[in-house]
Amino acid sequence: MAILVTGGAGFIGSNFVLEWLAQSSESVVVLDKLTYAGNPDNLSSVQNDARFKLVQGDIGDRTLVSDLLTKHGIRAVLNFAAESHVDRSIHAPGEFIQTNVVGTFELLEAVRAYWGALEGDARQAFRFLHVSTDEVYGSLGDNDPAFTEQHRYEPNSPYSASKAASDHLVRAYHHTYGLPVLTTNCSNNYGPFHFPEKLIPLMILNALNGKALPVYGDGRNVRDWLYVTDHCSAIRRVLESGLLGETYNIGGWNEKTNLEVVHTLCDILDDLSPRSDAKSYREQMQFVKDRPGHDRRYAIDASKVERELGWRPAETFDSGIRKTVRWYLDHPQWVQGVVSGAYRDWVKTQYGQ
Ligand code: NAD
Ligand code: TYD
């Protein structure tokens, strides 16, 4: 028995795989296209674990997915694979449609055929868990209540529209074919292995490199932050006990403006790795042109997953953000590999072509 984790070399997927192997005896097959965001180095600590296998490939490759499902007797698919960066989706939406919409469709088709041929307990136990985002719900006003699972979908960026489309396909495969699906919609994650194009790792690395800290617009957009291992524990809980066809909102009850986040990062860095001139990293902050269509506020109401499945986050924002800064300070080689693109060479060395 094994699980298939798509996108398992990315930020959240790799954290999930590492925790899974630490906590379970069950094998993991990772299917990852290894785009710029996929980094096998994230998984180097388990590369010699006999229960772990990394396959480079596309979720849109139905033949490959079908072969993996059969060959490894997969009992659950966890779909993390996606193009995930809003700014990239604004510059070049095509890849987002290809992977997030068409790729998810091809993956669902492969899974539907495989599950359709299962019998007895194996058919009963099979699960397809789709990892999605709060961004499908659109943007909240300052005083609006947080997103519940009943909130209507109002995606505003090519990224969130493509994720919304994938959520709808997953829902339809349950409704139409009875595919045993679960969907999670999570708020912004942060923590180890976060690719430095996203706000938190970008600010940490720019600060340390003496570069500007670019704050979009007025810096008062609000995100609801969740430490990545809390997201992983929620996904495990939903996989174990979630009701088929249901969606679960996952969040950290940690709404912060971008300014609050950047100030906090600067203050922690001032403490852990002070500038040589003893000035604050806050001096490097710069307001820049806003993101087009920038969603003002996201906030997750995570009471359903707590009430029905007993899940709550373990980290507060204060504990998680400090751990995160520490992790980046303690892993200069990982940073160097990502920034220089050297991890691509590592793939060739370790896994061949
Ligand atoms: P990421 O960009 O760090 O990783 C995505 C991974 O998917 C990469 O390893 C990439 O190589 C792989 N991938 C891309 N296209 C693929 C394809 N066609 N076939 C196979 N693999 C492919 O993203 P992340 O931040 O780890 O997000 C993982 C999932 O969680 C995504 O579905 C995202 O929408 C969702 N999510 C992310 C956040 C967040 O804050 N990062 C919050 C909520 C939900
Ligand atoms: P990001 O990490 O890209 O996540 P998302 O857009 O999916 O929420 O951005 C988080 C917030 O930080 C968002 O409001 C945009 C803002 N931001 C900046 O102000 N400057 C930056 O350089 C980046 C990357 C993001």
Side-chain angles (χ1 to χ4, degrees):
M1 295 283 266
I3 60 168
L4 177 67
V5 176
T6 71
F11 163 48
I12 306 172
S14 58
N15 276 283
F16 182 86
V17 169
L18 296 179
E19 290 212 327
W20 184 271
L21 288 170
Q23 298 187 8
S24 155
S25 56
E26 197 174 8
S27 297
V28 178
V29 179
V30 168
L31 172 63
D32 199 297
K33 191 175 170 185
L34 300 181
T35 67
Y36 77 93
N39 182 356
D41 209 13
N42 299 357
L43 298 164
S44 59
S45 64
V46 294
Q47 63 183 315
N48 296 321
D49 189 322
R51 297 168 301 150
F52 168 72
K53 185 173 174 61
L54 172 62
V55 177
Q56 181 170 10
D58 195 319
I59 54 167
D61 182 343
R62 205 188 295 185
T63 310
L64 172 63
V65 174
S66 302
D67 288 351
L68 291 175
L69 292 169
T70 313
K71 184 174 165 198
H72 298 283
I74 296 296
R75 66 107 181 158
V77 174
L78 293 105
N79 184 30
F80 293 84
E83 289 292 334
S84 70
H85 188 35
V86 174
D87 292 322
R88 283 183 195 252
S89 86
I90 294 168
H91 289 291
E95 269 307 301
F96 288 72
I97 304 306
Q98 201 52 44
T99 282
N100 300 0
V101 186
V102 181
T104 303
F105 160 69
E106 294 290 348
L107 177 66
L108 282 165
E109 279 291 272
V111 170
R112 178 165 77 93
Y114 171 74
W115 171 75
L118 293 177
E119 288 173 356
D121 290 349
R123 188 180 165 88
Q124 280 295 319
F126 186 82
R127 297 286 182 272
F128 179 92
L129 190 150
H130 181 61
V131 179
S132 193
T133 164
D134 60 358
E135 304 195 22
V136 297
Y137 297 124
S139 184
L140 292 169
D142 288 347
N143 299 315
D144 291 340
F147 301 127
T148 67
E149 290 78 0
Q150 274 71 49
H151 202 282
R152 67 180 277 198
Y153 272 37
E154 277 180 332
N156 290 321
S157 71
Y159 164 64
S160 55
S162 66
K163 289 296 290 185
S166 67
D167 293 8
H168 291 327
L169 283 170
V170 170
R171 176 191 156 85
Y173 271 63
H174 176 69
H175 192 79
T176 307
Y177 306 112
L179 195 73
V181 308
L182 298 155
T183 299
T184 54
N185 292 90
C186 189
S187 59
N188 285 57
N189 284 215
Y190 66 101
F193 305 117
H194 205 180
F195 196 81
E197 65 186 355
K198 305 276 171 70
L199 178 75
I200 288 179
L202 181 99
M203 292 295 167
I204 297 171
L205 299 189
N206 278 15
L208 293 171
N209 290 320
K211 295 185 183 163
L213 309 181
V215 177
Y216 297 164
D218 64 4
R220 299 197 187 280
N221 301 66
V222 173
R223 298 294 183 262
D224 184 353
W225 293 96
L226 181 69
Y227 192 66
V228 63
T229 56
D230 277 326
H231 187 188
C232 296
S233 74
I235 290 171
R236 289 196 301 275
R237 184 66 57 83
V238 172
L239 180 66
E240 246 166 54
S241 317
L243 288 183
L244 295 185
E246 290 289 311
T247 64
Y248 295 92
N249 283 358
I250 316 290
W253 306 99
N254 276 315
E255 285 186 59
K256 304 278 174 206
T257 64
N258 294 336
L259 279 177
E260 285 174 312
V261 171
V262 178
H263 285 155
T264 304
L265 290 170
C266 290
D267 296 350
I268 296 172
L269 284 168
D270 288 342
D271 180 26
L272 297 181
S273 183
R275 273 172 44 153
S276 52
D277 61 4
K279 289 186 177 160
S280 170
Y281 287 101
R282 289 188 186 209
E283 304 245 333
Q284 290 165 232
M285 288 173 65
Q286 261 179 33
F287 288 95
V288 299
K289 195 164 159 285
D290 208 354
R291 170 189 283 173
H294 195 175
D295 282 341
R296 191 64 174 171
R297 174 176 166 239
Y298 304 139
I300 277 280
D301 180 337
S303 42
K304 175 179 172 182
V305 69
E306 177 169 3
R307 193 175 57 247
E308 297 186 7
L309 305 183
W311 175 88
R312 265 193 79 81
E315 299 289 343
T316 63
F317 186 72
D318 288 346
S319 64
I321 199 77
R322 236 186 143 75
K323 275 191 189 179
T324 303
V325 174
R326 210 26 320 143
W327 189 87
Y328 280 88
L329 289 171
D330 290 346
H331 291 81
Q333 267 182 320
W334 183 89
V335 169
Q336 190 49 35
V338 168
V339 171
S340 70
Y343 69 93
R344 293 192 177 280
D345 299 333
W346 187 91
V347 178
K348 285 193 196 127
T349 310
Q350 181 65 12
Y351 296 98
Q353 294 301 320

